[in-house]
Amino acid sequence: MSYNNVGEGSSSGSTRLPSETRKGKYPANQHTPEEAPLIVSSSFSSSQPYGAIAAHDTQPPSRPSQKTCTYIIILATACTASFLFILLWLAPTFAERIVKQDVQFTFQQASILNVSKHKVITMHVIGSIELDSNIFHLQQKFNNIFGTIGIQQTELNVFYQKASDSFSMGSIDLPALDLNHGSAVTDFDFVTDFLIDDTDALMEFCKDAVVAETVLWRVVGPLSVSLGWLPWKSNVVLDKTVAIEGMNGLQKTDMKSMLFPGTHPLGGVSLSATVGIFNPSNVLSLTLGDMDFGIYLPSSSEKDVPIAIVQAIDADLQGHRMNYFNVTGRTLPISNTSQELMETFLTGYLHGNTTIVHVRGSLIGPDDQPSKKHVSSIPLWLRQALEQVVIRVPFPGATETDLIQSLQLSHIKIDFSSTGSPLISGDAVALLKKPQEMQFHMDVTEIDPLVYLYLNQDSERPFATIRSDKPCAAKSEDGNGIDLPLGTMKVTSRLSRAPFTILPGGQKDFDEFLNRVFKQKKGKVYIRGTSDAKVESAFGNLSIRDLEFNGVIETQGLDGMKHPAPKVTSMTIVKGYADALHARTVLSIYSPSDVHINLGQLNMVLLFNGHSIGNTTIPELSLAPGVDNELTVSAWLSGKNKHVIDFIGQYISNGISSNNSLILTISGQHPNASPSKFLNNFLQHLTFDVKAPEFIEQPLLADCQMNILSSSVIMSLRNPFQGVDMSITKINATATYQIYELGRLTADFEDAGEGWRGPLLLPPPVCDQQDSCKSVVVESEKIPIKTKKLGYEAVKRALGGYIEVSVDSTVGVMIDDFVLADLQYRQDNITARVSKGF
């Protein structure tokens, strides 16, 4: 019996019946080695096994030869038994050394398919066992001798290897597995249950597996190794540390869409989104199902601020791919301490900026109420694990960044009256377009705009800014699809005396802006800027900053104040001084503009026929739109100015004749035109004409008496002006009757050498408490008249009666201390009594 035959027969790994053996391996005329006789006939071939005796050799063998054969058999059997005993005795130790040193376990996939069962996780495990090359060659030899080496089904304990510590997580069933005969790598692929032993350890592993690049499993348990046909199994202890590729913080994320459709029944705003998370791990995959998450705003000074709770529907983190899933939920109320952070976030959102938010697991869901217990198919330990994992997700900005579509200012009032720096008031109307994803109700309760003014649409630089000292109250109106489009809002507010600041280098454009308001029929100025807004909504009561806008202000101008022209409705002499005559007038200016402008106090030059005759002081040039604006104006007529004498003469004379067409020009060419440094340059080019008022006072000459025999005239004179004293110093006049000159008279009342007793004093009218005034008529001395023949004949025919005469005179007049020398005065229809007197 040879060792090879024994090994060869044993390698079949099964027990065959004798008949089957004969039919198979050995010929019919031969015995099996077990059946072969020790003595055979001499006809047995020379190829018979070593130690057999030929059948034809009839000569009996010697006794020493038989003993030798027996010894050999016994020795071979003993060696074989010893070898098998030694092999079986050393096999466990040898196998453990091989498993520990030369066998590598690798996981290609460890997918969690279901975590909804209590204390059980369904896992799909794909991996391989790889043998060292030397061990693989030894395996092949063992396979040739004993048949396939296999591992029996067993239960393995899984520990989370962290630093030098191991935390038991649970156990997993390893199914029966035959090692690959043709390769050093044996693949395995099975679905099994992971029985949880320690949820804290498993929670720690899950948390780190999401964050870390690599995590370690320590797999411990008995392995039962079978060697082919041998009825023996070697039990070894498996204790291997396996590196598993982690998710590395799930750093690549994507939020494809975000929608805020309306308010949520539990408060806040409903939201829905589609979120993508890339799982970089080739090994770990996780099927969560419906999982709750919290969305937080990161804070550098405090812990993260929660802003929303959402539920991910069928959340699935498959390995090495981008996983997209839908989330729904609601926003959370904002506390006072986190309001500023939320305002910054919302401002960035409305500007279209992407903000990084933190997402982590939540122990409550978006539809949970405080009075109800949270129900979830996700076990608590996993929710607690994900609660400690922070995922950075980009929160996309609004798709519609032009929130303020337009801003218009109307009923504008420009006021220079207080400080010299302009103040702007007006109604602001802003049209807002909500972002498509934000279709819930909002109230804008305050706005705080910073408005930049540009002279032209293509102007590179603004010339001025408007900024209110405090936010302006506002009202909101949602679009109804009729007056306003759906998805829009109209916000109305009122700017009240907002400072108007002229920027460096903007004076020229500002002058042109005022020029358009005063001299053109229509004017435009363009505005751009930003506005803060206080918004009340289910999202919270928040202030949004720096919302951009642009628009245009189109105004009706004053058209040069020509149609109709301003006019002086009344003029009163206040007092006469040695160098000036002070008059008070009422100036009426109709404004066709839609801008209320107040230039404040102005000092302007008064021109007559292009010549300066004095100055005017307008305490407040305030022009309201669409009405006649009456302004009280002080005029100072210059003394010793022939143009002043010319104007007063024409004014009194034409007024009496009802032919008043005198035009005065008011010009801003005064050295101190305005207290405001911003107006002076503009005022230098501002002029407007006014029509002098009608002279409604009683005429200077009441009547006269002509004495035929003495050729003299007694004149009855009166002071037409209240509040001032008047005196006549001289008269040089010509009297006319119809077309006939009656004569000339001359009197210098200040020439004592000719017997005159001084100026003829004319006291002012006497007025009672009801402002009913009566003139004081003063008769002059007899004034010689040099008559003309034709005119004198007409006078004689009227003796004892009356005639109507006209007087054209040069008069010397004093109003208080103001001298009007050589005043040209003409008066028609004077009633002259004709008398014989001397």
Side-chain angles (χ1 to χ4, degrees):
M1 176 179 178
S2 68
Y3 174 80
N4 289 335
N5 287 340
V6 172
E8 188 175 359
S10 302
S11 65
S12 66
S14 63
T15 304
R16 295 188 178 91
L17 297 175
S19 62
E20 293 174 338
T21 302
R22 284 192 294 269
K23 292 179 182 179
K25 187 173 179 69
Y26 298 98
N29 61 350
Q30 292 187 5
H31 298 285
T32 65
E34 294 82 353
E35 296 172 335
L38 297 178
I39 301 175
V40 296
S41 63
S42 61
S43 62
F44 198 78
S45 171
S46 61
S47 61
Q48 297 292 328
Y50 175 76
I53 301 175
H56 64 272
D57 189 359
T58 59
Q59 191 176 8
S62 63
R63 298 185 63 87
S65 299
Q66 294 176 351
K67 292 180 179 180
T68 301
C69 183
T70 302
Y71 293 155
I72 292 173
I73 293 172
I74 294 171
L75 180 61
T77 302
C79 290
T80 301
S82 298
F83 173 76
L84 290 174
F85 175 78
I86 293 171
L87 179 64
L88 295 176
W89 180 63
L90 295 177
T93 302
F94 180 70
E96 286 183 8
R97 183 179 64 82
I98 290 175
V99 169
K100 182 176 182 181
Q101 297 180 359
D102 301 316
V103 177
Q104 302 297 327
F105 278 79
T106 303
F107 287 104
Q108 281 80 47
Q109 182 175 324
S111 300
I112 297 178
L113 302 180
N114 193 324
V115 293
S116 61
K117 298 179 182 179
H118 181 65
K119 289 287 187 176
V120 177
I121 298 175
T122 303
M123 295 191 67
H124 182 194
V125 180
I126 300 175
S128 63
I129 299 174
E130 184 176 358
L131 304 179
D132 180 83
S133 60
N134 294 328
I135 299 303
F136 173 62
H137 294 314
L138 182 61
Q139 175 210 343
Q140 288 182 314
K141 291 179 181 180
F142 270 83
N143 287 344
N144 292 332
I145 298 173
F146 302 108
T148 302
I149 299 177
I151 299 174
Q152 302 302 308
Q153 179 176 348
T154 187
E155 181 181 280
L156 301 176
N157 290 324
V158 181
F159 294 79
Y160 173 38
Q161 187 80 24
K162 186 174 184 181
S164 60
D165 299 324
S166 291
F167 305 95
S168 174
M169 296 187 294
S171 61
I172 189 171
D173 286 335
L174 180 68
L177 180 68
D178 290 338
L179 296 182
N180 193 344
H181 177 69
S183 171
V185 178
T186 301
D187 296 324
F188 55 82
D189 184 342
F190 59 91
V191 176
T192 186
D193 286 340
F194 186 101
L195 303 179
I196 302 172
D197 292 334
D198 187 344
T199 55
D200 291 339
L202 187 59
M203 181 178 68
E204 190 72 15
F205 163 74
C206 290
K207 180 187 70 175
D208 292 348
V210 174
V211 176
E213 292 186 45
T214 303
V215 288
L216 300 177
W217 270 11
R218 182 182 171 206
V219 182
V220 179
L223 283 183
S224 180
V225 180
S226 62
L227 300 176
W229 53 265
L230 292 178
W232 165 89
K233 294 180 177 59
S234 177
N235 293 321
V236 299
V237 176
L238 175 67
D239 191 342
K240 299 292 291 184
T241 300
V242 182
I244 297 177
E245 184 181 13
M247 299 182 183
N248 196 23
L250 300 174
Q251 298 179 18
K252 186 177 179 181
T253 56
D254 178 30
M255 190 176 291
K256 296 187 68 174
S257 64
M258 176 63 71
L259 182 66
F260 300 95
T263 57
H264 193 277
L266 297 181
V269 180
S270 299
L271 66 86
S272 60
T274 299
V275 181
I277 299 179
F278 179 76
N279 179 6
S281 176
N282 288 294
V283 177
L284 290 177
S285 296
L286 183 60
T287 299
L288 293 172
D290 297 344
M291 182 69 190
D292 299 315
F293 290 94
I295 301 177
Y296 298 78
L297 290 179
S299 173
S300 58
S301 59
E302 306 176 349
K303 63 180 182 180
D304 290 354
V305 175
I307 61 171
I309 298 176
V310 298
Q311 185 175 85
I313 309 301
D314 294 330
D316 195 2
L317 292 177
Q318 293 300 309
H320 205 66
R321 77 177 192 186
M322 179 67 78
N323 301 272
Y324 285 98
F325 44 86
N326 297 322
V327 300
T328 59
R330 64 184 176 95
T331 62
L332 296 175
I334 306 301
S335 65
N336 294 333
T337 57
S338 59
Q339 182 168 350
E340 183 176 354
L341 192 64
M342 187 62 189
E343 289 173 350
T344 301
F345 162 73
L346 191 57
T347 296
Y349 171 79
L350 292 175
H351 279 80
N353 300 330
T354 297
T355 303
I356 298 298
V357 297
H358 290 170
V359 175
R360 56 178 186 256
S362 174
L363 298 180
I364 61 174
D367 297 324
D368 287 340
Q369 301 182 32
S371 60
K372 292 185 178 181
K373 184 178 179 181
H374 177 66
V375 177
S376 175
S377 60
I378 309 299
L380 179 62
W381 62 265
L382 181 56
R383 286 183 283 137
Q384 290 177 334
L386 294 179
E387 188 182 27
Q388 301 178 52
V389 176
V390 177
I391 304 174
R392 291 166 52 86
V393 177
F395 197 101
T399 55
E400 180 63 61
T401 57
D402 294 331
L403 184 66
I404 303 180
Q405 297 288 296
S406 64
L407 178 66
Q408 296 179 344
L409 293 177
S410 59
H411 305 107
I412 299 172
K413 182 176 182 180
I414 307 174
D415 190 355
F416 287 84
S417 62
S418 296
T419 62
S421 296
L423 300 174
I424 299 294
S425 299
D427 293 332
V429 179
L431 183 64
L432 277 63
K433 183 178 181 182
K434 297 180 184 178
Q436 293 181 358
E437 58 271 22
M438 294 182 67
Q439 294 303 310
F440 55 90
H441 177 70
M442 294 183 289
D443 277 331
V444 178
T445 60
E446 284 184 358
I447 63 171
D448 188 9
L450 171 58
V451 183
Y452 290 89
L453 281 77
Y454 297 80
L455 187 63
N456 300 306
Q457 192 170 13
D458 57 354
S459 297
E460 295 182 358
R461 298 174 56 188
F463 68 87
T465 62
I466 302 174
R467 185 66 183 267
S468 180
D469 291 331
K470 60 182 180 180
C472 308
K475 293 182 179 180
S476 302
E477 179 184 349
D478 279 334
N480 54 14
I482 302 175
D483 302 325
L484 289 173
L486 293 174
T488 64
M489 295 174 58
K490 183 171 74 172
V491 178
T492 58
S493 183
R494 173 75 181 170
L495 287 175
S496 180
R497 301 181 66 77
F500 184 105
T501 303
I502 300 172
L503 299 175
Q507 182 66 46
K508 183 178 179 181
D509 284 354
F510 173 68
D511 293 342
E512 177 59 26
F513 163 66
L514 288 180
N515 189 65
R516 292 178 181 179
V517 172
F518 273 86
K519 297 183 178 180
Q520 296 183 6
K521 287 185 177 181
K522 290 185 178 181
K524 286 184 180 181
V525 64
Y526 298 87
I527 58 175
R528 304 170 202 164
T530 60
S531 178
D532 296 347
K534 182 174 287 187
V535 178
E536 293 182 357
S537 69
F539 211 50
N541 298 335
L542 303 170
S543 293
I544 305 170
R545 296 183 291 274
D546 300 330
L547 298 176
E548 297 182 353
F549 62 84
N550 58 69
V552 59
I553 301 175
E554 186 170 357
T555 60
Q556 296 288 334
L558 277 80
D559 196 18
M561 295 187 290
K562 295 178 180 178
H563 307 289
K567 60 183 177 180
V568 179
T569 58
S570 67
M571 184 169 67
T572 303
I573 304 297
V574 178
K575 189 172 181 59
Y577 300 91
D579 57 351
L581 178 63
H582 181 199
R584 182 183 297 113
T585 65
V586 176
L587 183 65
S588 178
I589 302 177
Y590 175 81
S591 173
S593 175
D594 56 2
V595 176
H596 188 151
I597 187 163
N598 187 346
L599 298 184
Q601 179 178 326
L602 298 182
N603 297 317
M604 306 188 79
V605 177
L606 187 61
L607 305 176
F608 178 62
N609 292 336
H611 303 287
S612 174
I613 61 172
N615 301 322
T616 62
T617 299
I618 305 176
E620 193 172 75
L621 181 57
S622 180
L623 302 178
V627 297
D628 289 311
N629 298 272
E630 291 192 348
L631 311 175
T632 300
V633 177
S634 291
W636 300 84
L637 303 180
S638 303
K640 299 180 182 179
N641 186 320
K642 65 178 183 178
H643 303 293
V644 172
I645 297 173
D646 186 21
F647 164 70
I648 293 178
Q650 292 191 45
Y651 170 63
I652 298 176
S653 300
N654 291 350
I656 295 173
S657 65
S658 300
N659 185 25
N660 185 10
S661 58
L662 296 181
I663 301 297
L664 296 172
T665 299
I666 298 177
S667 169
Q669 293 181 340
H670 191 282
N672 298 307
S674 170
S676 172
K677 63 180 181 179
F678 304 111
L679 283 178
N680 280 313
N681 188 60
F682 163 72
L683 291 173
Q684 293 297 309
H685 306 280
L686 177 65
T687 61
F688 57 91
D689 295 334
V690 297
K691 187 177 181 181
E694 296 182 2
F695 185 77
I696 60 174
E697 311 295 341
Q698 292 182 321
L700 178 63
L701 182 58
D703 58 29
C704 62
Q705 178 179 318
M706 298 186 66
N707 301 312
I708 297 177
L709 297 179
S710 61
S711 297
S712 63
V713 173
I714 298 174
M715 305 188 72
S716 297
L717 300 171
R718 59 192 166 197
N719 180 357
F721 303 111
Q722 301 177 32
V724 295
D725 294 325
M726 179 180 288
S727 60
I728 307 298
T729 58
K730 62 181 180 179
I731 296 177
N732 187 352
T734 300
T736 304
Y737 171 68
Q738 294 181 352
I739 61 172
Y740 306 105
E741 181 180 322
L742 298 177
R744 295 177 178 273
L745 57 92
T746 300
D748 186 350
F749 300 118
E750 293 182 317
D751 189 354
E754 294 192 6
W756 301 103
R757 291 176 290 183
L760 183 60
L761 300 180
L762 303 179
V766 177
C767 300
D768 58 22
Q769 294 181 350
Q770 284 73 35
D771 290 333
S772 177
C773 299
K774 184 176 182 180
S775 300
V776 178
V777 178
V778 178
E779 292 185 350
S780 68
E781 301 177 49
K782 292 182 179 179
I783 303 173
I785 182 173
K786 296 179 180 179
T787 61
K788 295 289 184 177
K789 182 178 180 180
L790 292 177
Y792 186 69
E793 292 296 327
V795 173
K796 286 193 299 181
R797 288 196 297 268
L799 181 63
Y802 298 88
I803 60 173
E804 299 289 333
V805 299
S806 298
V807 175
D808 193 350
S809 62
T810 301
V811 183
V813 179
M814 289 188 65
I815 300 177
D816 292 335
D817 296 331
F818 185 77
V819 178
L820 289 171
D822 300 326
L823 177 69
Q824 301 295 318
Y825 177 73
R826 177 177 176 82
Q827 183 175 338
D828 296 325
N829 302 321
I830 300 172
T831 300
R833 297 187 304 273
V834 181
S835 172
K836 288 184 179 180
F838 288 91

